[in-house]
Amino acid sequence: MTISGRISQSAFDGSRLRVILLLDLYEGAQQQFLDAYEHMRNQVASVPGHLSDQLCQSIENPSQWLITSEWESAPPFLAWVNSEEHVETVRPMHSCVRDTRSMRYSILRETTPNAPLTPESAKAGMQVEARVGDGVARHALTFTVKPGSESKVAEILAGYTSPEAQVDDTTRLRRTSLFMHGNRVVRAVEVEGDLLAALRHVARQPEVRAVEEAINPYLEQDRDLSDPDSARVFFTRAALPAVHHVVSGPKAPAGLRRHALYYPAKEGRGMDLARLLAHQDEAAADDPHSPVYGSTVFQRDDIVVRLVDLTGELDADPKSSLGLNGPGKAAEFERLLDGAAIGVEGSLETDRNINRLLSHADMMPVTDRSSARS
């Protein structure tokens, strides 16, 4: 097996996806859960890109259940799991389940009985290369606040005391970057180890709980964090998954500057726009002259946010900063970007429109905190 030396993760490698959902049920809730699952699987069966699923029960502990599903690729699964339809479909399960854990894997190789295993068949519909990671999981949350409250919310979010970075022996908070674009907030986190454990750790910290309570009056979507169902629905809707991450080398150069860029996509084109940005950043990682050292693309519905680490100023090379380099790329972006939302009319080939897009996309930094190793 060939191992790619570049640090990279991606939902766009074209391979089939295996999703594993571990569930811990309340005692006595088995039949209620089965009824909810029957409803859910009938819904999921009609989702584009879904291939199959299985429901399993532990032979050692009847309260432990497992749902596995297979998808044509990651994008259709991500579109489904982050949709309002999914939120409503799984709602009946909430009262049955004490705890859940979701894991997503690209399929690299597969062996089936009575089928000759050739190099070609072993790779059909699968990830071609194993990727090299850095042991870091990346995730973001996004939500909107009431217009007019932006400065107050920014003040609250910038002023809190950082939570304890060390979660347990294997998990640690590495970095939290928080930005705003108008009344939209984006909070991106980097975690060494178990992302879910880190998110739960952060949610329990008194300083974080105090901040969450302080911004509640300003949120456009009401929530009650003391109500598990309300909190679950809010954070499900706020999830902004990382669909692509790449850095050009294992050793970061000194003086990197982090920016977040917001790209409003045309209706239904968010995934296509995220895929285009991912391809552009893969190319930048191979270009020793590119100011883009690394990037992470986050996407949900038609919201696309790109976190980019640059070796120079954002406006020193606008095309590279935006991911617009290359022949014909401006025209591709024009087909996917909501020009009216960003105030750009005409071609992105002109310097004026490129600078206008960069000015609009550049998000306001609120806080960027890295934890030092003890």
Side-chain angles (χ1 to χ4, degrees):
M1 179 186 295
T2 302
I3 305 293
S4 172
R6 180 191 299 161
I7 294 173
S8 176
Q9 67 188 66
S10 184
F12 302 121
D13 56 29
S15 62
R16 298 204 312 274
L17 183 75
R18 174 75 64 187
V19 180
I20 300 171
L21 182 63
L22 301 172
L23 307 106
D24 184 17
L25 268 59
Y26 291 113
E27 290 302 327
Q30 280 80 0
Q31 188 57 52
Q32 181 185 354
F33 173 76
L34 280 172
D35 292 342
Y37 174 77
E38 287 298 321
H39 170 73
M40 184 190 78
R41 74 169 183 157
N42 288 332
Q43 296 288 107
V44 178
S46 63
V47 175
H50 174 265
L51 299 177
S52 65
D53 62 74
Q54 289 182 326
L55 175 66
C56 310
Q57 185 178 21
S58 170
I59 61 175
E60 298 169 334
N61 183 346
S63 294
Q64 293 179 351
W65 294 62
L66 168 70
I67 299 175
T68 67
S69 60
E70 188 171 321
W71 297 75
E72 290 178 357
S73 61
F77 166 76
L78 292 172
W80 154 249
V81 79
N82 293 311
S83 68
E84 286 296 314
E85 183 183 2
H86 176 262
V87 171
E88 296 304 318
T89 298
V90 302
R91 192 187 293 272
M93 288 188 172
H94 293 167
S95 59
C96 313
V97 178
R98 182 184 294 111
D99 193 20
T100 62
R101 179 179 178 82
S102 178
M103 296 174 285
R104 296 94 183 257
Y105 296 88
S106 293
I107 300 176
L108 270 78
R109 299 292 184 269
E110 184 177 57
T111 303
T112 56
N114 304 319
L117 190 62
T118 65
E120 291 74 22
S121 65
K123 298 179 182 179
M126 300 181 197
Q127 185 176 320
V128 177
E129 295 182 341
R131 294 177 178 269
V132 175
D134 55 2
V136 176
R138 294 168 174 85
H139 188 65
L141 296 173
T142 185
F143 52 86
T144 55
V145 297
K146 296 172 182 176
S149 69
E150 294 89 349
S151 60
K152 180 62 177 177
V153 170
E155 178 185 349
I156 294 171
L157 292 174
Y160 73 97
T161 303
S162 298
E164 174 61 39
Q166 198 67 39
V167 177
D168 54 37
D169 290 342
T170 59
T171 299
R172 177 176 165 273
L173 296 170
R174 191 169 85 163
R175 188 169 183 175
T176 300
S177 305
L178 203 148
F179 297 84
M180 293 184 70
H181 188 278
N183 70 329
R184 179 170 296 282
V185 178
V186 173
R187 178 192 292 150
V189 296
E190 297 178 3
V191 173
E192 295 177 8
D194 188 330
L195 176 63
L196 183 59
L199 294 178
R200 289 176 173 173
H201 164 80
V202 170
R204 290 192 296 265
Q205 302 308 300
E207 55 269 35
V208 173
R209 295 180 69 89
V211 168
E212 298 289 359
E213 291 296 331
I215 65 172
N216 271 348
Y218 306 108
L219 298 177
E220 286 198 313
Q221 178 191 340
D222 292 334
R223 68 180 183 185
D224 178 2
L225 296 181
S226 65
D227 176 1
D229 187 58
S230 175
R232 184 185 295 111
V233 169
F234 177 84
F235 287 112
T236 298
R237 287 175 171 154
L240 189 63
V243 294
H244 188 269
H245 171 75
V246 65
V247 297
S248 57
K251 185 173 177 58
L256 282 178
R257 304 186 182 199
R258 171 159 291 190
H259 298 267
L261 300 174
Y262 175 70
Y263 301 78
K266 290 180 179 177
E267 185 175 357
R269 305 305 301 272
M271 186 68 75
D272 295 328
L273 179 55
R275 182 184 288 107
L276 176 57
L277 287 168
H279 290 162
Q280 290 293 93
D281 287 335
E282 288 283 341
D286 287 333
D287 181 0
H289 303 294
S290 173
V292 179
Y293 166 74
S295 79
T296 306
V297 179
F298 301 91
Q299 182 263 332
R300 175 195 180 93
D301 299 328
D302 296 326
I303 300 168
V304 181
V305 173
R306 179 168 162 262
L307 205 62
V308 59
D309 292 321
L310 300 173
T311 56
E313 297 291 343
L314 183 70
D315 57 0
D317 185 349
K319 282 191 173 183
S320 293
S321 296
L322 285 165
L324 274 169
N325 271 332
K329 297 305 176 183
E332 291 186 51
F333 273 92
E334 288 172 30
R335 289 194 292 270
L336 301 174
L337 278 171
D338 184 349
I342 58 180
V344 173
E345 297 180 0
S347 173
L348 285 176
E349 295 286 359
T350 67
D351 290 343
R352 179 172 179 269
N353 277 342
I354 289 173
N355 290 327
R356 180 176 292 180
L357 172 59
L358 183 64
S359 176
H360 181 277
D362 189 19
M363 300 184 73
M364 180 185 76
V366 177
T367 183
D368 186 21
R369 306 182 183 200
S370 298
S371 59
R373 282 197 173 277
S374 55

